[in-house]
């Protein structure tokens, strides 16, 4: 047998429906060619994100019924805190309503105007939160991480030489924190090796620069370490995670990913005085430090989901399902970012539609076609998300990678759904000459991809 079946059986189902082609055509026009504006019920297979879209288990739903909605120190907070302390080894745990709230609280406390915040590659909300606080986000991923063809096993790694150079040139006092995104979402869901995390940590310790993991997908990253890095084959995912976190001073986490819940996040860290500052800020915007904008039941679902996310049978299925989609596409010659990432397959839109220039959003053109042809919703991680005007020259700077992400929600779709998606993408690839470029008719000053409106170029 090529692949073991899903390691769960289905207790509750949710109906999905493919709307007729003519209706999809009307809807995508009405949405300004931006799939964020589509009614979710009009999407057949929703691969917009793996964030907050997981199916919770019977065990998590049972936990929901045990929600203790006391304002302070509910029993669910105590379970939540103990679980995160056990998994990460960090002393302090601060709940937030999602990942970007954790980022906002951390960066608004640490980052001053003119500061530099390195990362392997910043995710869009991380980048925006650094910029919002007057900082300059810097992406220091290794060269292989920008090459869609490279089969490097840890394409999320940070270039340690570049990091050293940045610290020497800028000076440690202008770098309030260094982040590392595991797995590296904006670079294709690619993992970071334990060795790389250790080496980055060594550099930062010398200069006393705080080191934080953007840990949304830490369990998936740890599975890759177990499978690919020598010395980790016989370690459990929990053991690997504990070692990974041991090299960092703290983490931000969107629990909407590897904690298998629909909402939630946290900060975890060791530093007592920084914790106090973060909690003070948290009370202003998120809530009392033992609930941080979440209900007691949410904290319980996160605590239970974090444990389930470390289960090896689950991770084998999870990473295997994403790889299966990747293999079907590679077999048909569709250009995807290799090797397949942990939570998504990324189509290389520059290669898929070379007749559309980056200024006309080739990735978005492919996304529009996927919805039109098959009712599938995906997300662009390319020019629409990242192109920006250089403040000095006024010229538009385009990102190196022009990607379409097919993000796979956790425990939601079966392998038959995956095959349907593969078939749709392959059909589009055969007719790729028909894809049309787009131009913007509205853009917001920050995070424009969420609300942009576009029209097709004749
Ligand atoms: N960091 C990374 C690496 C992420 O992928 C995300 C979210 C966040 C931080 C922010 O977390 O959404 O809970 O506020 N990524 C989602 C995605 C939105 O679709 O990749 P959040």
């Amino acid at each position: 047998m090529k692949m073991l079946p899903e390691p769960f059986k289905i207790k509750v189902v949710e109906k999905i429906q493919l709307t007729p082609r003519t209706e999809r055509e009307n809807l995508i026009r009405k949405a300004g060619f931006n799939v964020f504006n589509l009614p979710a019920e009009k999407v057949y297979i929703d691969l917009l994100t793996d964030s907050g879209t997981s199916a919770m288990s019977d065990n998590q739903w049972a936990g929901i019924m045990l929600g203790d909605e006391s304002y302070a120190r509910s029993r669910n907070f105590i379970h939540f805190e103990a679980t995160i302390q056990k998994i990460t080894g960090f002393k302090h745990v601060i709940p937030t309503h999602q990942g970007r709230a954790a980022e906002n609280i951390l960066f608004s406390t640490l980052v001053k105007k003119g500061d530099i915040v390195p990362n392997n590659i910043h995710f869009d909300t991380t980048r925006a939160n650094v910029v919002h606080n007057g900082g300059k986000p810097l992406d220091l991923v290794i060269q292989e991480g920008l090459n869609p063809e490279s089969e490097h096993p840890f394409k999320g790694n940070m270039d340690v030489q570049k990091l050293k150079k940045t610290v020497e040139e800028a000076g440690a006092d202008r770098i309030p924190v260094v982040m590392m995104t595991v797995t590296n979402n904006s670079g294709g869901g690619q993992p970071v090796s334990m060795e790389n995390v250790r080496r980055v940590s060594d550099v930062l310790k010398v200069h006393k620069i705080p080191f934080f993991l953007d840990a949304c997908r830490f369990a998936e990253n740890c599975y890759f370490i177990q499978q690919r890095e020598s010395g980790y084959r016989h370690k459990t995912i929990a053991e690997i995670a504990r070692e990974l976190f041991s090299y960092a001073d703290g983490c931000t986490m969107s629990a909407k990913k590897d904690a298998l819940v629909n909402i939630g996040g946290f900060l975890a860290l060791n530093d007592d005085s920084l914790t106090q500052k973060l909690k003070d800020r948290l009370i202003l915007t998120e809530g009392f430090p033992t609930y941080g904008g979440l209900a007691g039941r949410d904290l319980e679902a996160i605590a239970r989901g974090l444990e389930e996310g470390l289960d090896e049978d689950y991770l084998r299925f999870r990473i295997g399902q994403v790889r299966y989609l990747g293999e079907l596409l590679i077999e048909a010659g569709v250009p995807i970012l290799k090797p397949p990432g942990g939570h998504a397959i990324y189509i290389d839109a520059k290669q898929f539609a070379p007749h559309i220039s980056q200024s006309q959003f080739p990735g978005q053109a492919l996304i529009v076609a996927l919805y039109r042809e098959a009712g599938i919703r995906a997300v662009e991680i390319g020019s629409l998300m990242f192109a920006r005007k250089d403040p000095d020259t006024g010229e538009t700077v385009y990102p190196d990678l022009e990607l379409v992400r097919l993000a796979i929600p956790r425990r939601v779709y079966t392998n038959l759904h995956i095959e349907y998606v593969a078939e749709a993408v392959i059909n589009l690839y055969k007719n790729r000459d028909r894809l049309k470029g787009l131009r913007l008719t509205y853009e917001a000053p920050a995070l424009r991809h969420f609300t942009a409106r576009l029209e097709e170029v004749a």
Side-chain angles (χ1 to χ4, degrees):
M1 185 175 287
K2 223 174 128 190
M3 212 173 13
L4 280 173
E6 289 81 357
F8 49 80
K9 53 184 180 174
I10 296 164
K11 203 192 287 270
V12 177
V13 294
E14 183 180 344
K15 185 178 159 76
I16 53 174
Q17 204 174 1
L18 184 61
T19 46
R21 175 78 161 76
T22 46
E23 196 183 346
R24 295 199 300 270
E25 181 65 41
N26 288 335
L27 286 165
I28 194 73
R29 287 181 181 281
K30 231 175 109 186
F33 296 95
N34 184 344
V35 290
F36 282 98
N37 294 332
L38 288 171
E41 281 187 354
K42 302 294 181 188
V43 174
Y44 185 43
I45 309 276
D46 202 346
L47 307 183
L48 187 67
T49 180
D50 64 318
S51 180
T53 53
S54 297
M56 291 209 295
S57 66
D58 51 357
N59 172 52
Q60 285 174 293
W61 280 108
I64 293 274
M65 286 306 291
L66 300 176
D68 166 6
E69 306 306 340
S70 310
Y71 194 90
R73 286 205 86 72
S74 71
R75 68 165 169 260
N76 309 119
F77 173 72
I78 291 168
H79 183 205
F80 171 88
E81 179 181 50
T83 305
I84 295 164
Q85 285 169 334
K86 183 180 75 181
I87 292 172
T88 65
F90 294 130
K91 193 169 154 195
H92 304 290
V93 177
I94 304 173
T96 59
H97 80 272
Q98 60 183 85
R100 70 198 69 182
E103 291 160 13
N104 173 286
I105 283 163
L106 182 70
F107 296 145
S108 61
T109 306
L110 287 180
V111 178
K112 303 184 305 296
K113 198 169 167 5
D115 282 350
I116 293 171
V117 179
N119 201 329
N120 42 1
I121 302 185
H122 287 272
F123 182 64
D124 58 354
T125 59
T126 325
R127 177 182 306 282
N129 268 299
V130 171
V131 171
H132 183 69
N133 287 289
K136 188 177 166 212
L138 201 63
D139 295 338
L140 299 180
V141 74
I142 55 171
Q143 209 48 46
E144 290 89 338
L146 299 175
N147 173 2
E149 291 299 320
S150 164
E151 294 269 1
H152 191 293
F154 291 103
K155 287 174 81 169
N157 283 357
M158 188 179 281
D159 186 324
V160 179
Q161 287 314 320
K162 275 194 199 154
L163 175 66
K164 281 186 181 161
K165 202 162 159 252
T166 305
V167 176
E168 273 162 30
E169 286 175 5
D173 51 343
R174 276 187 59 212
I175 305 176
V177 59
V178 170
M179 302 291 297
M180 177 81 105
T181 309
V182 296
T183 56
N184 183 23
N185 186 4
S186 306
Q190 300 292 325
V192 178
S193 72
M194 192 73 85
E195 196 212 348
N196 189 250
V197 171
R198 196 185 306 125
R199 288 180 57 209
V200 166
S201 167
D202 287 345
V203 171
L204 299 177
K205 278 207 179 86
V206 173
H207 299 278
K208 298 199 168 57
I209 299 172
F211 180 31
F212 272 62
L213 298 177
D214 179 345
C216 310
R217 300 178 180 85
F218 76 97
E220 290 167 3
N221 198 95
C222 290
Y223 184 76
F224 281 117
I225 289 176
Q226 187 197 53
Q227 297 298 309
R228 294 181 183 173
E229 192 162 350
S230 81
Y232 292 94
R233 243 311 155 53
H234 301 294
K235 297 214 161 132
T236 64
I237 302 299
E239 286 166 340
I240 296 169
R242 189 64 190 251
E243 182 183 341
L244 186 78
F245 286 112
S246 77
Y247 299 118
D249 300 296
C251 70
T252 57
M253 170 95 186
S254 166
K256 299 170 77 172
K257 284 80 168 174
D258 276 359
L260 296 164
V261 290
N262 307 120
I263 196 72
F266 59 85
L267 276 152
L269 68 161
N270 287 326
D271 187 301
D272 298 336
S273 81
L274 178 58
T275 299
Q276 197 50 54
K277 286 184 202 150
L278 298 175
K279 283 186 181 172
D280 292 345
R281 203 168 278 266
L282 187 87
I283 291 178
L284 273 181
T285 55
E286 289 280 292
F288 188 71
T290 66
Y291 73 84
L294 295 167
R297 55 179 174 270
D298 297 325
L299 298 169
E300 188 59 34
I302 295 170
R304 293 178 184 219
L306 279 167
E307 301 272 12
E308 291 176 19
L310 296 174
D311 177 59
E312 226 164 280
D313 288 340
Y314 154 72
L315 282 167
R316 184 180 311 113
F317 153 72
R318 161 74 178 153
I319 305 286
Q321 186 176 54
V322 175
R323 188 178 54 233
Y324 180 48
L325 175 57
E327 282 167 358
L328 292 173
L329 297 180
I330 291 170
E331 233 167 72
V334 176
I336 66 163
L337 199 146
K338 290 177 203 138
H343 65 293
I345 291 300
Y346 295 67
I347 300 170
D348 181 343
K350 266 194 207 167
Q351 276 193 62
F352 197 104
H355 62 289
I356 303 177
S357 75
Q358 273 190 289
S359 62
Q360 292 187 357
F361 310 111
Q364 192 64 16
L366 175 49
I367 278 162
V368 167
L370 263 176
Y371 180 70
R372 264 191 181 134
E373 300 304 325
I376 297 166
R377 178 156 70 167
V379 76
E380 193 247 27
I381 302 191
S383 296
L384 188 58
M385 190 180 273
F386 287 133
R388 58 189 177 278
K389 280 222 161 43
D390 184 305
D392 302 326
T393 64
E395 263 171 54
T396 305
V397 185
Y398 291 98
D400 294 315
L401 298 175
E402 198 67 52
L403 302 172
V404 166
R405 185 183 72 170
L406 306 168
I408 314 295
R410 294 168 182 79
R411 305 192 291 206
V412 170
Y413 292 117
T414 67
N415 287 334
L416 266 183
H417 292 120
I418 294 294
E419 286 169 14
Y420 171 86
V421 171
E423 203 180 303
V425 174
I426 292 165
N427 282 339
L428 274 183
Y429 187 61
K430 289 183 184 148
N431 298 301
R432 58 191 178 275
D433 298 346
R434 290 192 221 148
L435 292 179
K436 282 189 209 147
L438 297 153
R439 82 166 74 85
L440 280 162
T441 58
Y442 166 75
E443 64 176 307
L447 297 175
R448 69 177 182 185
H449 53 286
F450 289 123
T451 53
R453 297 190 69 83
L454 303 104
E455 62 187 14
E456 280 183 313
V457 177

